[in-house]
Amino acid sequence: MADEEQPQTAVVEEPLDLIRLSLDERIYVKMRNDRELRGRLHAYDQHLNMILGDVEETVTTVEIDEETYEEIYKTTKRNIPMLFVRGDGVILVAPPLRSGAF
Amino acid sequence: MSRKQTPSDFLKQIIGRPVVVKLNSGVDYRGVLACLDGYMNIALEQTEEYVNGQLKNKYGDAFIRGNNVLYISTQKAVRRA
């Protein structure tokens, strides 16, 4: 039985196909530079460039006290009505933290 | 157990198995491999994130952009502590 190599297997979905299921849903995005986004996914592409609506951005910083060497975690949040996210900054995309059986 | 196997064959084989995905940043993700593609973009289920200790639990799907991935490894039944 000759094994034919197909350029694309129709059965297996790619991770990007599964992101498509999250369109128009709220998602959580973990980004470089200790940033996180929570917003509604309006559009995306293969680079993971994304259009997010009603976004809350959380920036996490760690300050180290010179004397006590204590690590102080600070978060800064801001809200943005509509945002274009460049894909190369994206690390991870997930539904907002909730327990869901897929 | 040595047989000629390309990396893409390995990737096809491990779908559905519990894996460890380590990122360039050092963060560790453990979950069941749902699917992946040639860019090493990954979809995981039942994902847990480890940075030194356990940080966050992600349930459902987690998609990881391939350029961040350092390696994908299977978890054996007996895990070394």
Side-chain angles (χ1 to χ4, degrees), chain B residues 7 26 28 31-32 37-38 41 51 75 77:
Chain B
D28 215 328
V32 177
D37 63 16
N41 294 324
V51 179
Q75 297 179 45

Side-chain angles (χ1 to χ4, degrees), chain B residues 17-62:
Chain B
R17 294 196 194 177
V19 292
V20 182
V21 178
K22 194 167 187 77
L23 303 190
N24 295 328
S25 58
V27 181
D28 215 328
Y29 289 90
R30 291 166 194 256
V32 177
L33 186 63
C35 58
L36 51 76
D37 63 16
Y39 295 102
M40 282 181 99
N41 294 324
I42 292 169
L44 288 177
E45 294 172 356
Q46 305 288 316
T47 313
E48 291 172 349
E49 177 180 270
Y50 292 86
V51 179
N52 307 319
Q54 189 169 337
L55 269 194
K56 288 178 191 169
N57 280 322
K58 295 183 179 29
Y59 298 97
D61 286 326

